[in-house]
Amino acid sequence: MRNEEVADLANFLRARLDEDDAAAGAANAGAPEDTTDLKARVLADVAAKRGVLRFVEQMQRNAEHDDFMVHGPARIVLSTMAFPLRHLAAAYPTHPDYQPEWQPNHEELKPDPRFSRTGRA
């Protein structure tokens, strides 16, 4: 994906989340509002997250495969999935099965100073 496309997608999703947050706030305040669109987005969100989990499950199956060309890449993919999955799980911190160690680790996002040089090496 082009960097522009990633930025566009991130901006789009951020705006949608802001809208959902505002709609949920209005609903909590008892504001009379048609929630049909919000319900549809929530259901679509659930379906999208299930799609991510289907991908993770497929990578888990592939990681157990005998062929290195299958299990090698799957293991690499799985090693990168913890961060986004922790963020998805963070929506449920009060659930009794939620584990405190699943809290997203924002330290992972700090730039590594070794890679922050300007110019060419």
Side-chain angles (χ1 to χ4, degrees), residues 23 33-44:
E33 184 177 320
D34 180 15
T35 59
T36 304
D37 289 340
L38 180 58
K39 181 179 177 182
R41 281 197 307 274
V42 168
L43 293 174

Side-chain angles (χ1 to χ4, degrees), residues 2 6 16 20 23 26 29 47 57 82 86 90 92 94 99 109 116-117:
R2 301 179 339 264
V6 171
R16 301 298 76 78
D20 288 348
E57 289 165 358
R86 284 196 307 261
Y92 308 99
T94 60
Q99 302 296 313
L109 294 179
S116 63
R117 296 187 313 194

Side-chain angles (χ1 to χ4, degrees), residues 83 86-87 101-110:
F83 186 78
R86 284 196 307 261
H87 278 272
E101 62 269 17
W102 293 342
Q103 184 67 28
N105 179 358
H106 297 287
E107 293 293 314
E108 293 175 281
L109 294 179
K110 286 189 176 179

